[in-house]
Amino acid sequence: MLKPHIGLLKQPSCALALSFGAGLSPWAPGTMGALVALPICAALRTAPVILIAAMLIVFFVVGCIACGKACHVLGKQDHGSIVWDETYGMLVVLLSVPFSPLWWLAAFLAFRFFDIQKPWPIYLADIYTGGGVAVMLDDVAAAIGAAGLLWVAKLLVVPLLP
């Protein structure tokens, strides 16, 4: 298995799969990959909804391809340095909450919880799929879980706050 190094960033598919270098971090590369979503979300936040939806589709499809190629290059399914899936999943959650530091912190914590713990049915994405699709799908499922949790919190808890 190839150890990831800066030279991987010369290959466009690997550069994307490693979230432009965030996946090379020696400390919590998945967390670093999730943080890459913050400026992307800030840039997309004011775009029309149709453009945001189109970008999410493009990011997903291209991410599946890039992550699949990076798995091949690195010789391992969902190598720890492949973090575009975390970037994408975090982006989905950030786009589902209000644009405020507290909500973004809650989104980050909820997404990282679901992504790391992979409760049922999230872990099924890894079992029943493969390649770049598997890499991306478990984080999409984690994003849906996190967004759902935050939606419930917004409906049930936030109205009770002073």
Side-chain angles (χ1 to χ4, degrees):
M1 175 174 48
L2 180 67
K3 287 189 176 184
H5 57 81
I6 198 93
L8 289 173
L9 299 178
K10 293 179 182 176
Q11 300 177 37
S13 60
C14 287
L16 179 67
L18 276 58
S19 289
F20 313 104
L24 297 175
S25 171
W27 306 284
T31 298
M32 297 302 140
L35 291 174
V36 171
L38 295 172
I40 297 171
C41 185
L44 281 177
R45 202 81 169 138
T46 58
V49 173
I50 191 72
L51 178 61
I52 293 171
M55 293 303 295
L56 287 175
I57 291 168
V58 169
F59 288 168
F60 179 79
V61 172
V62 172
C64 287
I65 295 165
C67 291
K69 288 183 179 183
C71 287
H72 178 74
V73 168
L74 292 166
K76 182 178 179 191
Q77 177 66 30
D78 206 358
H79 189 281
S81 63
I82 299 172
V83 295
W84 178 253
D85 51 326
E86 278 83 6
T87 301
Y88 182 82
M90 187 70 226
L91 179 61
V92 169
V93 180
L94 289 172
L95 288 168
S96 72
V97 298
F99 186 55
S100 79
L102 185 59
W103 277 107
W104 278 28
L105 176 61
F108 179 79
L109 294 174
F111 174 71
R112 291 306 292 150
F113 170 79
F114 280 96
D115 184 35
I116 293 166
Q117 294 301 315
K118 296 195 188 327
W120 184 91
I122 294 170
Y123 71 88
L124 297 176
D126 283 333
I127 295 171
Y128 293 110
T129 59
V133 173
V135 172
M136 293 293 291
L137 275 184
D138 71 321
D139 287 270
V140 169
I144 292 168
L149 175 68
L150 294 168
W151 181 76
V152 168
K154 186 176 179 183
L155 285 177
L156 300 180
V157 178
V158 173
L160 300 176
L161 297 176

